Coordinates of all heavy atoms in Angstrom, one line a residue:
H1 N 0.8 -1.2 0.0 CA 0.0 0.0 0.0 C 0.9 1.2 0.0 O 1.8 1.4 0.8 CB -0.9 0.0 1.2 CG -1.8 1.1 1.3 ND1 -2.8 1.4 0.4 CD2 -2.0 2.1 2.2 CE1 -3.5 2.5 0.7 NE2 -3.0 2.9 1.9
D2 N 0.7 2.1 -1.0 CA 1.5 3.4 -1.1 C 1.1 4.3 0.1 O 0.0 4.3 0.6 CB 1.2 4.1 -2.4 CG 1.9 3.4 -3.5 OD1 2.5 2.4 -3.3 OD2 1.7 3.9 -4.7
S3 N 2.0 5.1 0.5 CA 1.7 6.1 1.5 C 1.3 7.4 1.0 O 2.0 8.4 1.2 CB 3.0 6.2 2.4 OG 4.0 6.7 1.6
H4 N 0.2 7.4 0.2 CA -0.3 8.7 -0.3 C -1.6 9.0 0.4 O -2.2 8.2 1.0 CB -0.5 8.6 -1.8 CG -1.4 7.6 -2.3 ND1 -2.8 7.7 -2.2 CD2 -1.2 6.4 -2.8 CE1 -3.4 6.6 -2.7 NE2 -2.4 5.8 -3.1
D5 N -2.0 10.3 0.3 CA -3.2 10.7 1.0 C -4.4 10.2 0.2 O -4.5 10.2 -1.0 CB -3.3 12.2 1.0 CG -2.2 12.9 1.8 OD1 -1.8 12.2 2.8 OD2 -1.8 14.0 1.5
E6 N -5.3 9.6 1.0 CA -6.5 9.1 0.4 C -7.7 10.0 0.7 O -7.7 10.6 1.8 CB -6.8 7.7 0.9 CG -5.8 6.6 0.5 CD -6.1 5.2 0.9 OE1 -7.2 5.0 1.4 OE2 -5.3 4.4 0.7
V7 N -8.6 10.2 -0.2 CA -9.7 11.1 0.0 C -10.8 10.3 0.8 O -11.1 9.2 0.5 CB -10.3 11.5 -1.3 CG1 -11.5 12.3 -1.2 CG2 -9.2 12.3 -2.1
A8 N -11.3 10.9 1.8 CA -12.3 10.3 2.6 C -13.6 10.1 1.8 O -14.0 11.0 1.0 CB -12.6 11.1 3.9
P9 N -14.3 9.0 1.9 CA -15.5 8.8 1.1 C -16.6 9.8 1.5 O -16.7 10.2 2.7 CB -15.9 7.4 1.5 CG -15.0 6.9 2.5 CD -14.0 7.9 2.8
L10 N -17.5 10.1 0.6 CA -18.6 11.0 0.8 C -19.9 10.1 0.8 O -20.1 9.4 -0.2 CB -18.7 12.0 -0.2 CG -17.7 13.1 -0.3 CD1 -17.9 14.0 -1.5 CD2 -17.7 13.9 1.0
P11 N -20.7 10.1 1.8 CA -21.9 9.3 1.8 C -22.8 9.7 0.6 O -23.0 10.9 0.3 CB -22.6 9.6 3.1 CG -21.5 10.1 4.0 CD -20.5 10.8 3.1
G12 N -23.2 8.7 -0.2 CA -24.0 9.0 -1.4 C -23.3 9.4 -2.6 O -23.9 9.7 -3.6
A13 N -22.0 9.6 -2.6 CA -21.2 10.0 -3.7 C -21.1 8.9 -4.7 O -21.0 7.7 -4.4 CB -19.8 10.5 -3.3
A14 N -21.2 9.2 -6.0 CA -21.0 8.2 -7.1 C -19.5 7.9 -7.2 O -18.6 8.6 -6.8 CB -21.5 8.8 -8.4
V15 N -19.2 6.7 -7.7 CA -17.8 6.2 -7.9 C -17.0 7.3 -8.7 O -15.9 7.6 -8.3 CB -17.8 4.9 -8.6 CG1 -16.4 4.5 -9.0 CG2 -18.4 3.8 -7.7
W16 N -17.6 7.8 -9.7 CA -16.8 8.8 -10.6 C -16.5 10.0 -9.7 O -15.4 10.6 -9.9 CB -17.6 9.1 -11.9 CG -18.8 9.9 -11.7 CD1 -20.1 9.5 -11.6 CD2 -18.9 11.3 -11.6 NE1 -20.9 10.5 -11.5 CE2 -20.2 11.7 -11.5 CE3 -17.9 12.4 -11.7 CZ2 -20.7 13.0 -11.4 CZ3 -18.4 13.7 -11.6 CH2 -19.7 14.0 -11.4
E17 N -17.4 10.4 -8.8 CA -17.1 11.6 -8.0 C -16.0 11.3 -7.1 O -15.1 12.2 -6.9 CB -18.4 12.0 -7.2 CG -19.5 12.5 -8.1 CD -20.8 12.7 -7.3 OE1 -21.2 11.8 -6.6 OE2 -21.4 13.8 -7.5
L18 N -15.9 10.2 -6.5 CA -14.8 9.8 -5.5 C -13.5 9.7 -6.3 O -12.5 10.2 -5.8 CB -15.2 8.5 -4.8 CG -16.4 8.5 -3.9 CD1 -16.7 7.1 -3.4 CD2 -16.2 9.5 -2.8
F19 N -13.6 9.1 -7.5 CA -12.4 9.0 -8.3 C -11.9 10.4 -8.7 O -10.7 10.7 -8.6 CB -12.7 8.2 -9.6 CG -11.5 8.1 -10.5 CD1 -10.5 7.1 -10.2 CD2 -11.3 8.8 -11.6 CE1 -9.4 7.0 -10.9 CE2 -10.2 8.7 -12.4 CZ -9.2 7.8 -12.1
E20 N -12.7 11.3 -9.1 CA -12.3 12.7 -9.4 C -11.7 13.4 -8.2 O -10.7 14.1 -8.4 CB -13.5 13.5 -9.9 CG -14.0 13.1 -11.3 CD -13.7 14.1 -12.4 OE1 -13.6 15.3 -12.1 OE2 -13.6 13.6 -13.5
R21 N -12.2 13.2 -7.1 CA -11.6 13.7 -5.9 C -10.2 13.2 -5.6 O -9.3 13.9 -5.2 CB -12.5 13.5 -4.6 CG -13.8 14.3 -4.7 CD -14.6 14.1 -3.4 NE -13.9 14.7 -2.2 CZ -13.9 14.1 -1.1 NH1 -14.5 13.0 -0.8 NH2 -13.3 14.7 0.0
Q22 N -10.1 11.9 -5.8 CA -8.8 11.2 -5.6 C -7.8 11.7 -6.7 O -6.6 12.0 -6.3 CB -8.9 9.7 -5.7 CG -7.6 9.0 -5.3 CD -7.4 9.2 -3.8 OE1 -8.3 9.0 -3.0 NE2 -6.2 9.5 -3.4
V23 N -8.2 11.9 -7.9 CA -7.3 12.4 -8.9 C -6.8 13.8 -8.5 O -5.6 14.1 -8.7 CB -8.0 12.5 -10.3 CG1 -7.2 13.3 -11.3 CG2 -8.4 11.1 -10.8
G24 N -7.7 14.7 -8.0 CA -7.4 16.0 -7.6 C -6.4 16.0 -6.4 O -5.5 16.8 -6.4
A25 N -6.6 15.1 -5.5 CA -5.7 15.0 -4.3 C -4.4 14.4 -4.6 O -3.4 14.8 -4.0 CB -6.5 14.2 -3.2
T26 N -4.3 13.4 -5.4 CA -3.1 12.6 -5.6 C -2.9 12.2 -7.1 O -2.9 11.0 -7.4 CB -3.0 11.4 -4.7 OG1 -4.1 10.5 -5.0 CG2 -3.0 11.7 -3.2
P27 N -2.8 13.1 -8.0 CA -2.8 12.7 -9.4 C -1.7 11.8 -9.8 O -1.9 10.9 -10.7 CB -2.6 14.1 -10.1 CG -2.1 15.0 -9.1 CD -2.6 14.5 -7.8
E28 N -0.5 11.9 -9.2 CA 0.6 11.0 -9.6 C 0.7 9.7 -8.8 O 1.6 8.9 -9.1 CB 1.9 11.8 -9.5 CG 2.0 13.0 -10.4 CD 1.6 12.7 -11.9 OE1 2.1 11.7 -12.4 OE2 0.8 13.5 -12.4
A29 N -0.2 9.5 -7.8 CA -0.2 8.3 -7.1 C -0.6 7.1 -7.9 O -1.3 7.2 -8.9 CB -1.1 8.4 -5.9
L30 N -0.1 6.0 -7.6 CA -0.4 4.7 -8.3 C -1.8 4.3 -8.1 O -2.3 4.2 -6.9 CB 0.6 3.6 -7.8 CG 0.5 2.3 -8.6 CD1 0.9 2.5 -10.0 CD2 1.5 1.3 -7.9
A31 N -2.6 4.2 -9.2 CA -4.0 3.8 -9.1 C -4.3 2.4 -9.5 O -5.2 1.8 -9.0 CB -4.8 4.8 -9.9
L32 N -3.5 1.9 -10.4 CA -3.7 0.5 -10.9 C -2.4 -0.2 -11.3 O -1.6 0.5 -11.9 CB -4.6 0.7 -12.2 CG -5.0 -0.6 -13.0 CD1 -5.8 -1.5 -12.2 CD2 -5.6 -0.2 -14.3
T33 N -2.3 -1.4 -10.9 CA -1.2 -2.2 -11.4 C -1.7 -3.5 -12.0 O -2.8 -4.0 -11.6 CB -0.2 -2.6 -10.2 OG1 -0.9 -3.3 -9.2 CG2 0.4 -1.3 -9.6
T34 N -1.0 -4.2 -12.8 CA -1.4 -5.4 -13.4 C -0.3 -6.5 -13.2 O 0.9 -6.1 -12.9 CB -1.6 -5.3 -14.9 OG1 -0.4 -4.9 -15.6 CG2 -2.7 -4.3 -15.2
S35 N -0.7 -7.7 -13.3 CA 0.3 -8.8 -13.1 C 1.4 -8.8 -14.1 O 2.5 -9.4 -13.9 CB -0.4 -10.1 -13.1 OG -1.1 -10.4 -14.3
D36 N 1.2 -8.2 -15.3 CA 2.3 -8.1 -16.3 C 3.1 -6.9 -16.2 O 3.9 -6.6 -17.1 CB 1.7 -8.3 -17.7 CG 0.8 -7.1 -18.1 OD1 0.5 -6.3 -17.3 OD2 0.3 -7.1 -19.2
G37 N 3.0 -6.1 -15.1 CA 3.9 -5.0 -14.9 C 3.3 -3.6 -15.3 O 4.0 -2.6 -15.1
G38 N 2.1 -3.6 -15.8 CA 1.4 -2.3 -16.1 C 1.2 -1.5 -14.9 O 0.8 -2.0 -13.9
R39 N 1.4 -0.2 -15.1 CA 1.2 0.7 -13.9 C 0.5 2.0 -14.5 O 1.0 2.6 -15.5 CB 2.5 1.1 -13.3 CG 3.2 -0.1 -12.7 CD 4.6 0.2 -12.3 NE 4.7 1.3 -11.3 CZ 4.7 1.1 -10.0 NH1 4.6 -0.1 -9.5 NH2 4.8 2.1 -9.1
W40 N -0.5 2.5 -13.8 CA -1.2 3.7 -14.2 C -1.4 4.6 -12.9 O -1.9 4.1 -11.9 CB -2.6 3.4 -14.8 CG -2.5 2.9 -16.2 CD1 -2.6 3.5 -17.3 CD2 -2.4 1.5 -16.5 NE1 -2.5 2.7 -18.4 CE2 -2.4 1.4 -17.9 CE3 -2.3 0.3 -15.8 CZ2 -2.3 0.2 -18.6 CZ3 -2.2 -0.9 -16.4 CH2 -2.2 -0.9 -17.8
S41 N -1.1 5.9 -13.1 CA -1.4 6.8 -12.0 C -2.9 7.2 -12.1 O -3.6 7.0 -13.1 CB -0.5 8.1 -12.2 OG -0.9 8.8 -13.3
Y42 N -3.4 7.9 -11.1 CA -4.7 8.4 -11.1 C -4.9 9.4 -12.3 O -5.9 9.4 -13.0 CB -5.1 9.1 -9.8 CG -5.4 8.2 -8.7 CD1 -4.5 7.8 -7.8 CD2 -6.7 7.6 -8.7 CE1 -4.8 6.9 -6.8 CE2 -7.0 6.6 -7.7 CZ -6.1 6.3 -6.7 OH -6.4 5.4 -5.8
A43 N -3.9 10.2 -12.6 CA -4.0 11.2 -13.7 C -4.0 10.5 -15.0 O -4.8 10.9 -15.9 CB -2.8 12.1 -13.6
E44 N -3.3 9.4 -15.2 CA -3.3 8.6 -16.4 C -4.6 8.0 -16.7 O -5.2 8.0 -17.8 CB -2.2 7.6 -16.4 CG -0.8 8.2 -16.5 CD 0.3 7.2 -16.3 OE1 0.1 6.3 -15.4 OE2 1.4 7.3 -16.9
L45 N -5.2 7.4 -15.6 CA -6.5 6.8 -15.8 C -7.6 7.8 -16.1 O -8.5 7.6 -16.9 CB -6.9 6.0 -14.5 CG -6.3 4.6 -14.3 CD1 -6.8 4.0 -13.0 CD2 -6.6 3.7 -15.5
H46 N -7.5 9.0 -15.4 CA -8.4 10.1 -15.7 C -8.3 10.5 -17.1 O -9.4 10.8 -17.8 CB -8.2 11.2 -14.7 CG -9.2 12.3 -14.8 ND1 -9.0 13.4 -15.5 CD2 -10.4 12.4 -14.2 CE1 -10.0 14.2 -15.4 NE2 -10.9 13.6 -14.6
A47 N -7.1 10.7 -17.6 CA -6.9 11.1 -19.0 C -7.5 10.1 -20.0 O -8.2 10.5 -21.0 CB -5.4 11.4 -19.3
D48 N -7.3 8.8 -19.7 CA -7.9 7.8 -20.6 C -9.4 7.8 -20.5 O -10.1 7.7 -21.6 CB -7.4 6.4 -20.2 CG -6.0 6.1 -20.6 OD1 -5.4 6.9 -21.3 OD2 -5.5 5.1 -20.1
A49 N -10.0 8.0 -19.3 CA -11.5 8.1 -19.2 C -12.0 9.3 -19.9 O -13.1 9.3 -20.5 CB -11.8 8.1 -17.7
A50 N -11.3 10.4 -19.8 CA -11.7 11.7 -20.5 C -11.7 11.5 -22.0 O -12.7 12.0 -22.7 CB -10.8 12.8 -20.1
R51 N -10.7 10.8 -22.5 CA -10.7 10.6 -24.0 C -11.9 9.7 -24.4 O -12.5 10.0 -25.4 CB -9.4 9.9 -24.4 CG -8.2 10.8 -24.5 CD -7.0 10.2 -25.2 NE -6.4 9.2 -24.3 CZ -5.5 9.6 -23.3 NH1 -5.2 10.8 -23.1 NH2 -5.0 8.6 -22.6
L52 N -12.2 8.7 -23.6 CA -13.4 7.8 -23.9 C -14.6 8.7 -23.8 O -15.5 8.5 -24.7 CB -13.4 6.7 -23.0 CG -14.6 5.7 -23.2 CD1 -14.7 5.2 -24.6 CD2 -14.6 4.6 -22.1
A53 N -14.8 9.5 -22.9 CA -16.0 10.4 -22.7 C -16.1 11.3 -23.9 O -17.2 11.5 -24.4 CB -15.9 11.2 -21.4
V54 N -15.0 11.8 -24.4 CA -15.1 12.7 -25.6 C -15.5 11.9 -26.8 O -16.4 12.4 -27.6 CB -13.7 13.4 -25.8 CG1 -13.7 14.0 -27.2 CG2 -13.4 14.4 -24.8
E55 N -15.0 10.7 -27.0 CA -15.4 9.9 -28.1 C -16.9 9.5 -28.0 O -17.6 9.5 -29.0 CB -14.5 8.6 -28.2 CG -14.8 7.7 -29.3 CD -14.7 8.3 -30.7 OE1 -13.9 9.3 -30.8 OE2 -15.3 7.9 -31.6
L56 N -17.3 9.1 -26.9 CA -18.8 8.8 -26.7 C -19.7 10.0 -27.0 O -20.7 9.9 -27.7 CB -19.0 8.2 -25.3 CG -18.4 6.9 -25.0 CD1 -18.6 6.5 -23.6 CD2 -19.0 5.8 -25.9
T57 N -19.3 11.2 -26.5 CA -20.0 12.4 -26.7 C -20.1 12.7 -28.2 O -21.1 13.1 -28.8 CB -19.4 13.6 -25.9 OG1 -19.5 13.2 -24.5 CG2 -20.2 14.9 -26.2
R58 N -18.9 12.5 -28.9 CA -18.8 12.8 -30.3 C -19.8 11.9 -31.1 O -20.3 12.3 -32.1 CB -17.4 12.5 -30.8 CG -17.0 13.1 -32.1 CD -15.5 13.0 -32.4 NE -15.1 11.7 -32.6 CZ -15.3 11.0 -33.7 NH1 -16.0 11.5 -34.7 NH2 -14.8 9.7 -33.8
R59 N -20.1 10.7 -30.5 CA -21.0 9.8 -31.2 C -22.5 10.0 -30.7 O -23.3 9.2 -31.0 CB -20.6 8.4 -30.9 CG -19.3 8.1 -31.6 CD -18.8 6.7 -31.2 NE -17.5 6.4 -31.8 CZ -17.3 5.6 -32.9 NH1 -18.3 5.0 -33.4 NH2 -16.1 5.4 -33.3
G60 N -22.7 11.1 -29.9 CA -24.1 11.4 -29.5 C -24.5 10.7 -28.2 O -25.7 10.7 -27.9
I61 N -23.6 10.1 -27.5 CA -23.9 9.4 -26.3 C -23.7 10.3 -25.1 O -22.6 10.8 -24.9 CB -23.1 8.1 -26.2 CG1 -23.4 7.2 -27.4 CG2 -23.3 7.4 -24.9 CD1 -22.4 6.1 -27.6
G62 N -24.7 10.5 -24.3 CA -24.6 11.4 -23.2 C -24.6 10.7 -21.8 O -24.7 9.5 -21.7
P63 N -24.6 11.6 -20.8 CA -24.6 11.0 -19.4 C -25.9 10.1 -19.2 O -26.9 10.4 -19.7 CB -24.7 12.3 -18.5 CG -24.2 13.4 -19.4 CD -24.5 13.0 -20.8
E64 N -25.7 9.1 -18.4 CA -26.7 8.2 -18.0 C -27.3 7.3 -19.1 O -28.3 6.7 -19.0 CB -27.9 8.9 -17.3 CG -27.5 9.7 -16.1 CD -26.8 8.9 -15.0 OE1 -27.2 7.8 -14.7 OE2 -25.8 9.4 -14.4
T65 N -26.6 7.3 -20.3 CA -27.0 6.5 -21.4 C -26.3 5.2 -21.2 O -25.0 5.1 -21.0 CB -26.5 7.1 -22.7 OG1 -27.1 8.4 -22.8 CG2 -27.0 6.3 -23.9
V66 N -27.0 4.1 -21.3 CA -26.4 2.7 -21.2 C -25.8 2.4 -22.6 O -26.4 2.6 -23.6 CB -27.5 1.7 -20.9 CG1 -26.9 0.3 -20.9 CG2 -28.1 2.0 -19.5
V67 N -24.5 1.9 -22.5 CA -23.8 1.6 -23.7 C -23.2 0.2 -23.5 O -22.5 0.0 -22.4 CB -22.6 2.6 -23.9 CG1 -21.8 2.2 -25.1 CG2 -23.2 4.0 -24.1
A68 N -23.3 -0.7 -24.4 CA -22.7 -2.0 -24.4 C -21.4 -1.9 -25.1 O -21.2 -1.4 -26.1 CB -23.6 -3.0 -25.1
L69 N -20.4 -2.5 -24.4 CA -19.0 -2.5 -24.9 C -18.5 -3.9 -25.0 O -18.8 -4.7 -24.1 CB -18.0 -1.7 -24.1 CG -18.4 -0.2 -23.9 CD1 -17.4 0.4 -22.9 CD2 -18.3 0.5 -25.2
V70 N -17.9 -4.3 -26.1 CA -17.3 -5.6 -26.2 C -15.7 -5.4 -26.1 O -15.1 -4.8 -27.0 CB -17.6 -6.3 -27.5 CG1 -16.9 -7.6 -27.6 CG2 -19.1 -6.4 -27.7
L71 N -15.2 -5.8 -25.0 CA -13.8 -5.6 -24.7 C -13.1 -6.9 -24.2 O -13.8 -7.7 -23.5 CB -13.6 -4.6 -23.6 CG -14.2 -3.2 -23.8 CD1 -14.2 -2.4 -22.5 CD2 -13.5 -2.5 -24.9
R72 N -11.9 -7.1 -24.6 CA -11.1 -8.2 -24.0 C -10.8 -7.8 -22.6 O -10.7 -6.6 -22.2 CB -9.8 -8.4 -24.8 CG -10.0 -8.9 -26.1 CD -8.7 -9.4 -26.7 NE -9.0 -10.1 -27.9 CZ -8.3 -10.1 -29.0 NH1 -7.1 -9.4 -29.0 NH2 -8.6 -10.7 -30.1
R73 N -10.7 -8.8 -21.7 CA -10.4 -8.6 -20.3 C -9.0 -8.0 -20.2 O -8.0 -8.7 -20.6 CB -10.5 -9.9 -19.6 CG -10.4 -9.7 -18.1 CD -10.7 -11.0 -17.4 NE -10.5 -10.8 -16.0 CZ -10.7 -11.7 -15.1 NH1 -11.2 -12.9 -15.5 NH2 -10.6 -11.4 -13.8
S74 N -8.9 -6.8 -19.7 CA -7.6 -6.2 -19.5 C -7.7 -5.0 -18.6 O -8.8 -4.6 -18.2 CB -7.0 -5.7 -20.9 OG -7.7 -4.5 -21.3
A75 N -6.5 -4.5 -18.2 CA -6.5 -3.3 -17.3 C -7.1 -2.1 -18.0 O -7.7 -1.3 -17.4 CB -5.1 -3.0 -16.9
R76 N -7.0 -2.1 -19.3 CA -7.6 -0.9 -20.1 C -9.1 -0.9 -20.0 O -9.7 0.1 -20.2 CB -7.1 -1.0 -21.6 CG -5.6 -1.1 -21.8 CD -4.9 0.0 -21.1 NE -5.0 1.2 -21.9 CZ -4.5 2.4 -21.6 NH1 -3.8 2.5 -20.5 NH2 -4.6 3.4 -22.4
S77 N -9.7 -2.0 -19.7 CA -11.2 -2.1 -19.6 C -11.7 -1.3 -18.4 O -12.8 -1.0 -18.3 CB -11.7 -3.5 -19.7 OG -11.3 -4.2 -18.6
I78 N -10.8 -1.1 -17.4 CA -11.1 -0.3 -16.2 C -11.6 1.0 -16.6 O -12.6 1.6 -16.0 CB -9.9 -0.2 -15.3 CG1 -9.5 -1.5 -14.7 CG2 -10.2 0.8 -14.2 CD1 -10.5 -2.2 -13.8
V79 N -11.0 1.6 -17.6 CA -11.4 3.0 -18.1 C -12.9 3.0 -18.6 O -13.7 3.9 -18.3 CB -10.5 3.5 -19.2 CG1 -11.1 4.7 -19.9 CG2 -9.1 3.7 -18.7
A80 N -13.3 1.9 -19.3 CA -14.6 1.8 -19.8 C -15.6 1.6 -18.7 O -16.7 2.1 -18.7 CB -14.7 0.7 -20.8

């Protein structure tokens, strides 16, 4: 476990809200590791998620819209 500051949970907060708070508090902290040596910081995961959000918006998909994705099992699927 890294010794970085963790953001206290907010009752009733959505996962994305808690994630955004953690990104703001510790952007360079390690957020995800894989068994094959992959490592992503909170800032890197946030940037990947933002790119996906832009692509979905470009295709006319908005908040609270259910989208089915076909993905191979990988750490990259965390973003989706």
Side-chain angles (χ1 to χ4, degrees):
H1 181 62
D2 287 1
S3 61
H4 59 78
D5 295 330
E6 293 183 9
V7 175
L10 293 174
V15 171
W16 70 265
E17 292 170 311
L18 296 174
F19 182 76
E20 290 251 332
R21 288 183 68 220
Q22 192 67 49
V23 171
T26 60
E28 299 308 316
L30 188 60
L32 176 67
T33 61
T34 64
S35 60
D36 64 355
R39 298 169 60 89
W40 287 267
S41 69
Y42 282 99
E44 290 168 326
L45 282 180
H46 185 266
D48 286 350
R51 278 190 291 278
L52 178 58
V54 167
E55 180 61 26
L56 291 173
T57 300
R58 199 171 67 76
R59 294 173 183 257
I61 300 165
E64 304 302 322
T65 303
V66 176
V67 177
L69 302 173
V70 178
L71 303 168
R72 289 193 173 147
R73 187 175 179 176
S74 74
R76 306 304 282 176
S77 65
I78 295 294
V79 169

